[in-house]
Structure formats: C-alpha cells, structure tokens
Amino acid sequence: MNTKKRILFIGHNFAPEPTGIGKYSGEMMEWLSNKGNDCTVITTYPHYPYWKIQLPYKNGWYKKESVSFPENSGKLTIYRCPLYVPQSLTGKNRILHDFSFVCSMFFVVLKMVLFHKSFDYIITVAPPFHLSYLSLFYRKLRGGKIIYHVQDLQIEAAQKSNLLKGKKLFNFLYKAEKVILKSCDVVSTISDGMINKIQSKVDRKVLFFPNWVETSVFYPVNNKSILKENLGFKKDQFICLYSGSIGEKQGLENIIYAAENLSENKRIQFIICGTGPNKCKLQEIVTNKKLNNVTFLPLQDKNNFNDFLNVADLHLIIQKAYIGDLVMPSKLQTILSAGGVSLVTAERDTSLQKLVENFNMGYVVEPDDHLKLTENILQISAIDHTHKRINARKYALQYLDIDNVMSKFIDELSTMFPSASGEPQNSLSFGTVIIGLTSFLSLLVHRIR
C-alpha cells in the first residue's frame, strides 16, 4: 500500500491460536500493523485446535486489546467476542458455535459503524463463510473495499463429510455464498485448485494469496541424531511425523494401520503430534492393537518447533479423498521451510499433488489406502532424498516467505484500488444484507445428521 490505511479484520480464528487459520490471520494483521497501518480486529477467544478457551483467556464477556508498533506508527486493536465452544463436535453443536460468535460480533461491528472512523479495507477470512455478511453490512453503511479470503471451501467440506444433511439446506447455503462471492470487491484463496472451484461458482477474478512461512524461524538443521535421541529415539531410526489437527477430515486411522503393518520393522517409528476431537479415538486404537511404534505428543511450543520438525525423516500429510481441492494443508509451508520431505495423500490433478511432484519436494500416494501408504513408507525409508530436502527449502525461500507473499498481495490491491477510501457504496440492497446476516439461523431448523 502506497499510503497508510485503516483496515478492519473480521474473523473467527486469530492469534494466539498456534495452528491453522488463526495463526495466518494473526501473522497477517501483525505484518500490516508493523508496516504502519491502523488495524482493528474483531474476533473470538483463542480455542482452536483444543476446542476450549486457552489460558490466560477465559470465556468471558467482550475484551479489548491494544498493540502498538512505534517504529512505523502502526497500531493493532483487537476486540474479542464471547462464543459457545462445544465439548462434542456434532453438526448441531457446530451450528450453535457459529451462531454464537456471529451474534456477538455483530454488536462490535455496529459499534464500528456508529462511533469509529471509516475503514479503507474490510478483510474477512472464511471459514466461516457467513461472517462476510457482517462485512457487507459495514460497507453498506460506511463504505470501504471488502477482501474475502477463502482458506477452506466450508460448504463443500460439510456436504461431502455428511456433517450436514438436506438438499434444500445446501441449496440455500450455496446461494448465500454466491451473494458473498459476487458482492465482495476482492476474492482470494490459497491454491490454483481452489481458484478454479470458486470461479466455477461465479464468473470473476480470484486472486492467488497463498499461506506463508517465516523462513528465518523455520529452517533445516544438521543435528538430527541428537534431536532424535532427545525424544527417546535411536539416531538410526526412521521417524515418520504427523503434526497438526487431529480431526475427521484427516483420516489419521490410516497412519495407525500403516504402523500396524510395519510393527515388525523396529527401525520405522511414528509420531502423531497435536490435538483434536479424534485424538482419544486414535490413542484407543493404538492401545487395543498394542502398538509400540506409535508415539503421541502434544502440540509443540513455537520456540522448539523448528527442532521438532527436523526430527522427522518423513512428514505425513494425510487427508481423506473427498477433501481434494477444498483445502490446502497449512502445515505444508512450515515443513517445506524446514527442508522437510513429505508423503502426502492426494488425488491426481489436485493442487497438492501437482505442487509436491512438479517441484520434486516429496511423494504422493492415493488417499484412504493404508496398504499403499505402508508400501510407500517402506520404500521411502530406504531412499536418500537429500535432493528433495534442498528443493523444499529452495521453494519456501522463493515462494513462501511472508514478506514476499504479503508484499505481492498488497501491491495487487494497490493496483486495483489506487485511492481506496471509506466512501459508502450502494451496490447491495440493505434488505439483502440483513437477510444474509440471518442465514446461519436457518440452519437450526434443518435436520442434522
């Protein structure tokens, strides 16, 4: 941006959440604030991926936080809004979860409309997709340019995972999403495959805005043997690591089945690191099968995470077949920066498969097939893949460094909107915005599987 801007961010997940959308949203807004922009964030309390409010926060009422960046006169103001955090992740509970924070956020957005100077840009990150109706509501009354950034194609994922049920329900949700895609000033997403899927819904330009990594924080190290021994492994053991969210869409049971198939091979060991709703289920399977080659670890502290990533000889990026191009695993960027080699489960012609194979940074196996996963792990464990490690690090430095990614995206915005300012727009009827704000309410009256 050629001049300093006032930027409003509306998003469910935000720092200090350590993984996923919250991590990237937090880093984005810190980067923008550090460049001298006046940034305001409307978000919730940190709870992902643990699905409970994290200390030192409590799930209380509204909370305001302020961070200053005196070197460039930047400012970051964060409004945290109360929300319902379900103990079990059923379809109905997820709807109530979404309903709670959209309602609580609305009152802060209304405060921005009534009592604050207008914003030049309003950024909304999906999922959840319907938060963008709050952005449309703000723009109708105060103006500004809306940037709608898609991290996951939420509706398709819910439909293919059978989390929700009902043809009429999904028809309604897709129509509500289409209003957003057509009405926002900028739509961006994180992979070529996701760009194609969005453009199949609406005929418009979609910007490529990939996730990034701090390449100075995550990098290859040479003392792998010592790092392995510090975790209780032998230096010559081949470590397969999965680190990330442990949920339904990953299908991590296949790692357990592969470990069972390789249980007689004492050299190959598996680490599953992270948390999520399916962790207890996986631990129970490992216990019942009496497997000694699978170790569960909690999420690692960021200060130790680079060393931890470098323990792995092979990183496992596992997801179910139906995911396809609905998401791009956010863990991949950090793995590449650390010079890690990955075995990913991906169907042919998806963005993930093309990226890994075209740049020769890892291996690809078909999803949902633990026998092929086993076979690939066994073969890879006997191969020297130093060249792939070099390619991974080189790719991260060239394409994923946070300064490069953010600067390119901001330059694109400056070209599109050389004089962006908070002037009211009249492209969307006020009634449509209000109807959009209540779209999530209709979910409550539909039958949930």
Side-chain angles (χ1 to χ4, degrees), residues 162-180:
N162 291 319
L163 183 64
L164 301 177
K165 184 179 180 181
K167 183 177 180 180
K168 290 183 178 179
L169 168 62
F170 281 104
N171 287 340
F172 176 82
L173 292 176
Y174 283 122
K175 288 179 181 178
E177 182 192 42
K178 192 169 184 178
V179 171
I180 294 169

Side-chain angles (χ1 to χ4, degrees), residues 209-242:
F209 183 23
N211 288 333
W212 51 80
V213 67
E214 297 171 281
T215 54
S216 61
V217 175
F218 300 103
Y219 52 87
V221 299
N222 297 319
N223 58 337
K224 279 182 174 290
S225 297
I226 297 175
L227 296 176
K228 288 181 181 181
E229 291 174 344
N230 289 342
L231 282 178
F233 297 97
K234 297 178 181 179
K235 62 182 181 181
D236 60 344
Q237 285 183 314
F238 187 84
I239 308 300
C240 302
L241 170 64
Y242 174 86

Side-chain angles (χ1 to χ4, degrees), residues 9 30 36 57 79 112 136 163 194 209 236 278 296 423:
F9 173 90
E30 181 179 353
Y57 293 92
Y79 293 91
M112 296 297 121
L136 295 171
L163 183 64
M194 293 173 70
F209 183 23
D236 60 344
N278 278 25
F296 287 91
E423 297 177 358

Side-chain angles (χ1 to χ4, degrees), residues 389-429:
R389 296 185 185 280
I390 295 172
N391 291 342
R393 177 63 177 174
K394 186 185 299 183
Y395 181 89
L397 290 171
Q398 184 172 354
Y399 297 105
L400 302 179
D401 180 78
I402 184 172
D403 287 324
N404 294 340
V405 173
M406 286 298 302
S407 296
K408 182 179 179 181
F409 187 67
I410 294 305
D411 287 345
E412 288 184 285
L413 293 182
S414 298
T415 300
M416 295 173 66
F417 310 115
S419 58
S421 61
E423 297 177 358
Q425 299 185 19
N426 298 306
S427 59
L428 195 68
S429 72

